[in-house]
Amino acid sequence: MMSYYLKLAVRSLRRSPGITSLMVLAIALGIAVCVITLTVHHGMSSNPIWWKNDRLYAVTLDSWDPERPADEDHPELPPSELTWRDAEAVTRSDIPLRSVRMHKAGGVLSSGDSRVPARPERVIARMTTAGFFDMFDVPFRYGGGWKATADAGPEPVVVLSSKVNEQFFGGADSVGKTIRWDDREYRVVGVLAPWHPAPTFYDLNNGAFDDPEDIYVPIGWTEKLELPSGGNTNCWNAEDIQSFADFLNSGCVWIQVWVELPDAASKARMQAFLDNYVAGERRGGRFKRPNNNRLTNVDQWLVDNEVVGNDNRMLVALAFAFLSVCLINTVGLLLAKFLGHAAITGVRRALGASRRQVFLQHLTEAGLLAAVGAALGVVLAGAGLWALRIMYATPRDGFTGLMHVSSWSLMITVALAVCATLAAGLYPAWRVGRIAPAVYLKSQ
Amino acid sequence: MITQDIRPILSALLRNRTGAVLVALQVAIALAVLVNAVYVVKQRVDKIGRPTGMDIENIFMVTSAGFAADYDHAATTAADLSWLRSQPGVRAATLTSGLPLSGGGSQNTLYPTPEVKGEGTSMNYFDVDESGIDTLGVRLVAGRNFRADEILPEDPTYRKPVPGFIVTRTLAKALFGTEDAVGKVTYDGLGRPMTVIGVIDHMQGSWVDWDKIGQVGLLPRRAFGPRALYLVRTAPGQRDALIKSAEEHLSVSEPRRVLQYVRSLDYYRDRSYQADRNMAIFLVTVTALLGCVTALGIFALATFNVNLRTRQIGTRRAIGARKADIVRYFMVENWLVTTAGVLLGAALALGVGYSLSRAYQLPRLDLYYLVGGVVALWATGQVAAWQPSRRAAKISPSVATRTV
């Protein structure tokens, strides 16, 4: 029966090629625009470490100006980074399974070996603690992270990104070799496999869709080399900063802190620890704002930091408005078309076709239309995402990486196509099934 | 005449209303989207087109990073600047702490009294030397430029006070109101006095999304190393050639540093506005497609109506209706449907406009846009219905006498 309906549907669609192609195109465009905006939106808002969402928490403490919140637009949030001294104090706690404190830095990488032809290269470094790699499930190609004892020393060790390892060592196993960062030599202990978390949830301050850092160095070197932040430094209180030690003691926030808490009990203990620490500092004259110490999981962290902009939400709404116009259009055309052939349907009904059969026959036609439309829609969406990649052709690979037809987009397309069929086909098919055959037989 | 026409058309529409309702709905959504999309696009285009105050087409930047233990920042920057300034076609060059319109920069707060109390005024500042004004191509409107002997040495911890500085008119207004700013004193966060020695007409600062982008100050200070950032202004048309030769020379002139980028300033401006530009392109594309789909929908439905009523039209022609009457019938019918859609759409457009203005803190939707959108959709409807109406008028009266 189904194949018969399909044959009828094909015949009916071919009878008026203009209208048919208009309907297919409308469905295809509607679906394509939705798939494009949803793919980008999904990519931007997706949690690149979702499997640890209930374990990883960003630590924030409200050490800001008593007069005003850190962000006037979000007065309920503490500053997104910590002061050096608070970060040190918080990560000394042994409640978390792991904890990291870290910041970005600059510097120039050069080969310690004159036989290596690579030119010196300005790089972005992440000054961090030993827990970073295990905590964020960072994949290694060679070697591994450094031991916790290397943090404080600090030991001259470095972990390279796969890109830098490619540039300086031709992609070979460089563990044990040395490389110069600014004017010092560091021993390579690990090389990462390609790793592109998008967004870079662990530090959203400077371009959430930029690539992660080129090299990773124990944070003890920050103090020793007096490295300023290569990311954001925000100060609320003009302090008389005479030396780097003064800066480390100041109220300026520039350090990111994350902790891994495996269960609710440890999270509660950590929260109590933070509150207790802040209460102690308060007695010393700091933290004059209301108590606001947070442990924020990754999902919420992305929301708090507004990784998905207003523009993106507006585009998704626009896409659905567009799809609805396309579908209304298709409903109108299908209805007009089905009713236009009412005489034939009348004859079929008179010859014994039940309402249900007439309904199914027309729904098949609508379904075929939607299927062809959806297929074309995927092609158009692919083309659209490709165009977007060109429009956003910048060094920000993390962002352009979001723009391709993924299995997720395909799933959305199928869902949209089914919805489109139901939305566009249901009413016209039902309507045509209710035709009274007698009216049409009479006029014959 | 028209009112006489409307009644039968209206009753015919009401008897067979599904198609008309669907078209009206499309028109309504199309209007809401069109009006708001045009409004948002206009905001973005205005934002991108704001004057920068600088000679932006003729400026490029150079950035390098010293890395060797024996890298001498003062000597290297002096050598670089003297080489850059000696190139034919280079008008001026300066060492600077930040890049206008790039999305990265420094901000400070200034206070009206040395007690540093109350609301301060934000200043986006750039360290420059005595060539700063010339290099940026900004116009000095009051006071004077920095003298070479006023340029403070590099100061990574910002310990030394900056006695005199230059402000934009916007910053001067934020600090001192409408009074003449030259000679006036303001105070930095540590309560140290800073005197305005000059006022420049206009200059945009670092962040294109910042509502105080025009509150810029120029400080007479050598930007600290080991990173060096230079701005270079060239004679018109010479920029790209000089970018090339600067890159060639500076990448080999000093082995203890690496040259990072040599790029035009408008590269950074374009990058900063990329999201706005792409948003505008996307909105225009989708809105245009939406208009096309709506117009085609109106057209197709009118065509079907004409086909469906062939006999009726023939009969009307046979009993005396002129061609013009038939055309008018369909045009008025279309106009009625579009009008219903437009009325619904106007309400929808205002609702969407209200929620957008809340999400973006934009001024409320201007009603001119709504009027324009209504007229545009009326016109679209009439154009889309024209061809089917003409076709209807061509139906021969003899059709009435035939069966089917």
Side-chain angles (χ1 to χ4, degrees):
Chain A
M1 209 59 190
M2 202 59 213
S3 66
Y4 175 61
Y5 289 156
L6 267 176
K7 208 155 76 187
L8 279 181
V10 170
R11 191 173 296 169
S12 163
L13 291 175
R14 284 173 62 175
R15 203 155 36 208
S16 42
I19 294 298
T20 302
S21 44
L22 181 60
M23 288 189 287
V24 166
L25 198 65
I27 293 177
L29 279 175
I31 287 181
V33 170
C34 277
V35 169
I36 290 171
T37 55
L38 284 174
T39 301
V40 174
H41 188 275
H42 172 75
M44 289 178 94
S45 58
S46 64
N47 180 344
I49 190 154
W50 49 269
W51 59 93
K52 276 191 158 179
N53 193 52
D54 57 348
R55 296 168 72 93
L56 297 185
Y57 297 91
V59 178
T60 47
L61 310 174
D62 204 344
S63 60
W64 209 247
D65 191 344
E67 306 282 328
R68 57 185 68 84
D71 180 355
E72 304 272 4
D73 293 336
H74 295 280
E76 76 284 3
L77 294 179
S80 63
E81 295 172 293
L82 273 70
T83 64
W84 174 270
R85 54 188 288 191
D86 293 335
E88 252 192 333
V90 166
T91 49
R92 261 200 291 270
S93 162
D94 54 10
I95 300 165
L97 187 64
R98 300 182 180 93
S99 57
V100 294
R101 61 194 166 97
M102 54 193 181
H103 69 93
K104 262 185 196 164
V108 172
L109 210 58
S110 57
S111 163
D113 185 344
S114 57
R115 285 164 301 177
V116 176
R119 285 177 49 180
E121 173 90 12
R122 162 112 184 149
V123 292
I124 308 288
R126 176 147 296 269
M127 312 304 295
T128 185
T129 47
F132 180 86
F133 307 97
D134 285 340
M135 188 157 171
F136 298 129
D137 289 348
V138 184
F140 276 91
R141 176 85 195 277
Y142 305 114
W146 55 81
K147 290 195 185 64
T149 48
D151 284 331
E155 285 175 29
V157 289
V158 63
V159 168
L160 306 180
S161 70
S162 72
K163 187 182 98 186
V164 162
N165 191 55
E166 191 67 43
Q167 277 171 320
F168 284 86
F169 298 102
D173 183 354
S174 56
V175 172
K177 300 219 166 92
T178 56
I179 194 161
R180 289 185 79 84
W181 181 49
D182 280 347
D183 55 345
R184 273 169 192 275
E185 292 206 331
Y186 295 77
R187 184 165 46 84
V188 177
V189 292
V191 175
L192 301 187
W195 184 54
H196 299 280
T200 48
F201 60 95
Y202 56 86
D203 179 3
L204 295 166
N205 288 297
N206 316 91
F209 296 95
D210 286 5
D211 268 351
E213 288 74 13
D214 301 306
I215 64 168
Y216 302 80
V217 183
I219 197 169
W221 288 103
T222 297
E223 214 170 343
K224 191 148 183 180
L225 302 174
E226 307 203 340
L227 296 175
S229 170
N232 276 16
T233 305
N234 290 317
C235 310
W236 58 273
N237 185 13
E239 294 167 80
D240 192 9
I241 294 172
Q242 302 280 352
S243 64
F244 196 72
D246 283 353
F247 173 63
L248 294 186
N249 255 317
S250 73
C252 298
V253 297
W254 57 298
I255 305 290
Q256 303 98 42
V257 173
W258 286 79
V259 290
E260 182 168 353
L261 302 165
D263 49 45
S266 60
K267 189 188 171 201
R269 287 206 334 268
M270 189 67 203
Q271 183 70 50
F273 170 84
L274 294 178
D275 291 340
N276 187 40
Y277 167 73
V278 168
E281 291 294 297
R282 210 182 280 277
R283 280 191 292 278
R286 298 179 63 223
F287 288 92
K288 289 180 184 146
R289 292 184 62 73
N291 201 44
N292 189 7
N293 314 310
R294 295 190 175 212
L295 292 167
T296 311
N297 69 19
V298 182
D299 275 344
Q300 187 60 39
W301 186 244
L302 298 180
V303 173
D304 286 353
N305 285 281
E306 299 188 323
V307 170
V308 182
N310 274 335
D311 276 5
N312 224 278
R313 274 189 287 272
M314 195 212 284
L315 288 179
V316 171
L318 173 71
F320 275 96
F322 182 65
L323 179 63
S324 63
V325 166
C326 293
L327 290 183
I328 293 170
N329 201 328
T330 309
V331 175
L333 294 178
L334 273 179
L335 192 62
K337 184 173 178 193
F338 288 172
L339 293 181
H341 299 305
I344 300 169
T345 308
V347 174
R348 286 173 50 78
R349 289 274 283 122
L351 290 176
S354 71
R355 276 188 180 170
R356 194 172 154 271
Q357 284 169 322
V358 169
F359 173 76
L360 280 179
Q361 181 211 327
H362 287 92
L363 199 61
T364 308
E365 190 173 332
L368 183 63
L369 209 60
V372 178
L376 187 59
V378 174
V379 175
L380 288 178
L385 288 167
W386 177 76
L388 272 184
R389 262 207 300 278
I390 290 175
M391 279 160 76
Y392 282 95
T394 62
R396 298 167 187 192
D397 292 338
F399 193 67
T400 53
L402 304 176
M403 296 167 190
H404 59 268
V405 178
S406 60
S407 54
W408 190 86
S409 327
L410 288 174
M411 248 159 58
I412 284 293
T413 313
V414 172
L416 285 174
V418 172
C419 292
T421 313
L422 292 178
L426 222 45
Y427 177 72
W430 175 79
R431 211 18 227 285
V432 78
R434 290 176 56 88
I435 283 173
V439 178
Y440 294 96
L441 293 177
K442 234 177 7 196
S443 68
Q444 295 286 1
Chain B
M1 179 65 197
I2 290 285
T3 44
Q4 274 179 356
D5 275 356
I6 285 180
R7 195 176 297 167
I9 297 173
L10 205 57
S11 68
L13 267 178
L14 291 177
R15 293 247 323 262
N16 203 344
R17 58 186 171 265
T18 319
V21 166
L22 292 173
V23 169
L25 266 180
Q26 281 185 58
V27 169
I29 298 175
L31 179 66
V33 169
L34 173 75
V35 168
N36 286 289
V38 169
Y39 185 62
V40 171
V41 168
K42 171 80 167 49
Q43 307 269 352
R44 301 300 165 100
V45 169
D46 286 353
K47 181 181 168 194
I48 296 171
R50 290 175 300 184
T52 64
M54 294 170 276
D55 185 15
I56 187 144
E57 283 83 19
N58 297 312
I59 297 173
F60 69 92
M61 60 80 81
V62 179
T63 164
S64 75
F67 62 94
D70 54 350
Y71 167 75
D72 183 343
H73 188 65
T76 307
T77 51
D80 287 348
L81 278 173
S82 91
W83 183 84
L84 284 167
R85 285 169 179 159
S86 71
Q87 297 308 296
V90 169
R91 285 200 171 162
T94 181
L95 190 63
T96 180
S97 59
L99 202 57
L101 302 170
S102 67
S106 310
Q107 187 203 318
N108 207 343
T109 308
L110 301 174
Y111 296 88
T113 62
E115 287 78 40
V116 188
K117 286 241 173 72
E119 274 305 306
T121 302
S122 296
M123 167 176 75
N124 176 198
Y125 66 88
F126 297 88
D127 294 352
V128 294
D129 62 21
E130 70 279 8
S131 306
I133 284 186
D134 256 4
T135 310
L136 292 163
V138 291
R139 199 158 57 86
L140 192 70
V141 291
R144 62 170 181 86
N145 188 11
F146 304 124
R147 290 189 310 268
D149 62 1
E150 277 176 327
I151 308 301
L152 300 161
E154 58 178 274
D155 180 17
T157 53
Y158 302 116
R159 286 165 58 187
K160 296 178 196 69
V162 180
F165 71 129
I166 292 176
V167 298
T168 58
R169 270 224 285 244
T170 314
L171 180 57
K173 197 163 170 236
L175 286 169
F176 312 110
T178 50
E179 297 167 50
D180 181 13
V182 177
K184 290 258 173 7
V185 178
T186 181
Y187 298 87
D188 71 9
L190 291 174
R192 299 175 302 195
M194 294 174 73
T195 307
V196 174
I197 64 159
V199 178
I200 53 175
D201 185 36
H202 173 61
M203 172 182 165
Q204 283 188 329
S206 297
W207 308 282
V208 298
D209 292 319
W210 193 36
D211 58 346
K212 302 182 179 99
I213 187 170
Q215 295 192 9
V216 174
L218 302 178
L219 309 187
R221 188 159 58 191
R222 290 180 49 79
F224 63 86
R227 265 193 101 191
L229 181 58
Y230 309 99
L231 284 171
V232 185
R233 182 176 176 207
T234 69
Q238 310 243 17
R239 186 193 67 188
D240 295 344
L242 280 160
I243 284 179
K244 240 183 168 165
S245 60
E247 185 157 12
E248 275 163 22
H249 173 80
L250 295 172
S251 59
V252 294
S253 66
E254 167 58 67
R256 286 164 291 193
R257 62 103 181 270
V258 287
L259 195 65
Q260 208 183 343
Y261 305 115
V262 185
R263 280 177 181 156
S264 65
L265 188 53
D266 52 18
Y267 165 87
Y268 289 93
R269 181 196 53 188
D270 293 349
R271 197 181 71 175
S272 291
Y273 285 121
Q274 191 183 47
D276 291 309
R277 202 175 44 246
N278 289 346
M279 181 76 175
I281 292 172
F282 202 90
L283 283 177
V284 167
T285 310
V286 173
T287 310
L289 284 175
L290 189 64
C292 291
V293 169
T294 308
L296 282 174
I298 294 171
F299 168 78
L301 221 56
T303 307
F304 261 116
N305 277 339
V306 170
N307 289 349
L308 213 60
R309 295 184 206 159
T310 306
R311 281 194 67 197
Q312 182 202 338
I313 295 164
T315 310
R316 282 195 65 199
R317 292 276 283 126
I319 60 176
R322 287 164 302 158
K323 283 190 173 182
D325 294 328
I326 304 295
V327 170
R328 194 164 61 228
Y329 180 94
F330 282 100
M331 297 302 274
V332 171
E333 183 185 69
N334 172 272
W335 184 81
L336 283 174
V337 173
T338 318
T339 303
V342 158
L343 287 178
L344 180 62
L348 202 58
L350 290 175
V352 172
Y354 177 69
S355 59
L356 277 184
S357 72
R358 294 212 16 190
Y360 284 94
Q361 276 113 38
L362 282 180
R364 201 78 70 76
L365 180 70
D366 205 328
L367 286 182
Y368 288 120
Y369 290 86
L370 192 54
V371 174
V374 168
V375 172
L377 276 167
W378 265 332
T380 308
Q382 295 287 292
V383 169
W386 175 248
Q387 198 270 345
S389 307
R390 292 287 305 156
R391 222 157 55 80
K394 287 199 187 112
I395 290 170
S396 155
S398 63
V399 171
T401 60
R402 293 187 215 135
T403 49
V404 183

